[in-house]
Amino acid sequence: MKLKIGFTDSSNEEEIKLNEQYAKQPDTPVKSLVQVRFPDRNMTLSYYNDKFDLHCGDLVFVDGKLEGLRGIVVDVSYNFKIRLSDYKRVIAVSDTEIKGELYMALSHFIAFDSSVLPYKKVLGWFKASSYEDEEIVVCNDDSSFVLDNLNDMKIGTQIADRGYDYYMQNKVVYICVDNTHGRAIVTGTVPYELEFTYKNGEISNLICDCFCSYTCKHEFAAMLQLRETLKEIEKNYADKFQESNYFAAISKSVLFNFCVNNQNTGSIIF
Ligand SMILES: [Zn+2]
């Protein structure tokens, strides 16, 4: 039996626009002093906010020493008198609201509708979108390999072993293929972004932004996850993939951590 889950927000039926900015918009800021908990550091600190309308449970990024670490708003105060120079600020809020159907595939959920789990939206759960002004250079050689034969990846045994561990630990938190363009997010010390081309069972233009000059463990882990996910799709959801020519897979635990555990409203349909 095929199960499906739909996440809905009863108060808002508007469709998510594909090309919108996925960080929440600072259009109606409400000044506040917020307590932010950082699970990775097991600490809670105060931040000043004048850009957003923040609520408990919001996932935020801040400046200062903990820049780049994800925090959760655990308290919001509107009554305060502070010296601004004493406080660091909230610089981004992640949009963790999901609407649409998700299909189960082992460790991951899969969406076949491109508006459910768009890459940029999910990326915003892992890092603040403040790097967009940076100049990025991408160079690819024209090497390619068959996904079913990863021996052709030219990867050292040790790195392959570590990549396999990453795959087994579900560190390939997100992977999607839109027509032939693939993207993935692999969490290591920091989140890494990967891109590749997938065509007729063959992978080319595989690149990771961890700046390894050789084939890295993130790339190997992503290919293992891609192979697994495509097998599951072929077995259970072939018609859906054929129709959409798109899929996005997200780790079940990530989805629950980001979209369920921190939310106080919303519903799940089984
Ligand atoms: Zn890498």
Side-chain angles (χ1 to χ4, degrees):
M1 186 182 139
K2 292 171 196 170
L3 290 168
K4 61 184 181 184
I5 295 182
F7 287 81
T8 63
D9 176 357
S10 52
S11 64
N12 184 355
E13 293 299 324
E14 272 180 31
E15 281 188 18
I16 295 168
K17 291 182 202 92
L18 261 181
N19 294 320
E20 73 182 31
Q21 182 74 32
Y22 287 108
K24 279 187 185 169
Q25 294 301 293
D27 48 1
T28 50
V30 180
K31 283 180 187 170
S32 57
L33 196 64
V34 293
Q35 298 282 315
V36 180
R37 183 163 61 82
F38 296 90
D40 291 351
R41 291 286 172 90
N42 200 19
M43 55 166 57
T44 302
L45 297 171
S46 290
Y47 289 86
Y48 175 60
N49 158 57
D50 60 355
K51 281 191 179 156
F52 310 98
D53 181 9
L54 292 178
H55 302 278
C56 284
D58 282 345
L59 291 181
V60 295
F61 292 91
V62 299
D63 61 5
K65 263 201 167 19
L66 298 187
E67 183 167 344
L69 278 185
R70 186 175 56 254
I72 301 161
V73 175
V74 291
D75 188 56
V76 184
S77 169
Y78 304 105
N79 236 336
F80 55 88
K81 181 179 177 184
I82 56 166
R83 198 189 307 272
L84 274 185
S85 57
D86 290 343
Y87 284 83
K88 293 297 176 188
R89 298 179 189 224
V90 175
I91 57 167
V93 187
S94 307
D95 179 0
T96 53
E97 191 180 292
I98 290 184
K99 274 179 276 179
E101 279 180 359
L102 296 172
Y103 297 82
M104 299 197 199
L106 302 181
S107 54
H108 286 57
F109 286 118
I110 300 179
F112 295 100
D113 178 337
S114 58
S115 69
V116 180
L117 290 169
Y119 178 75
K120 283 200 169 168
K121 179 171 182 161
V122 177
L123 187 65
W125 303 352
F126 293 93
K127 51 166 129 173
S129 53
S130 56
Y131 310 109
E132 292 190 351
D133 296 339
E134 275 183 51
E135 215 175 318
I136 293 182
V137 179
V138 178
C139 288
N140 272 320
D141 54 22
D142 23 343
S143 63
S144 64
F145 56 89
V146 176
L147 188 60
D148 277 336
N149 185 8
L150 293 181
N151 291 333
D152 288 354
M153 267 185 89
K154 297 185 188 97
I155 184 168
T157 318
Q158 260 186 340
I159 297 165
D161 284 350
R162 290 171 70 190
Y164 183 77
D165 289 345
Y166 266 46
Y167 157 71
M168 289 302 284
Q169 292 162 11
N170 288 325
K171 291 193 173 187
V172 185
V173 291
Y174 177 91
I175 192 157
C176 69
V177 173
D178 187 353
N179 203 357
T180 58
H181 183 210
R183 306 187 90 157
I185 303 168
V186 179
T187 52
T189 337
V190 297
Y192 296 106
E193 295 180 62
L194 287 80
E195 279 193 77
F196 55 89
T197 303
Y198 174 69
K199 201 174 178 184
N200 303 327
E202 219 175 81
I203 300 286
S204 55
N205 304 319
L206 175 60
I207 197 139
C208 172
D209 72 351
C210 75
F211 304 116
C212 276
S213 53
Y214 46 83
T215 307
C216 67
K217 59 192 173 192
H218 313 112
E219 292 172 345
F220 191 63
M223 291 304 103
L224 290 169
Q225 185 60 55
L226 178 65
R227 199 169 65 176
E228 175 193 296
T229 304
L230 285 170
K231 270 188 191 151
E232 288 303 302
I233 289 174
E234 199 183 322
K235 208 160 60 180
N236 299 313
Y237 312 114
D239 49 339
K240 297 221 158 284
F241 188 38
Q242 209 164 20
E243 206 177 291
S244 62
N245 218 1
Y246 168 95
F247 81 83
I250 190 156
S251 132
K252 284 179 182 171
S253 59
V254 160
L255 186 118
F256 271 89
N257 276 334
F258 286 78
C259 307
V260 179
N261 288 348
N262 295 321
Q263 305 301 320
N264 296 319
T265 57
S267 64
I268 297 177
I269 303 164
F270 282 92

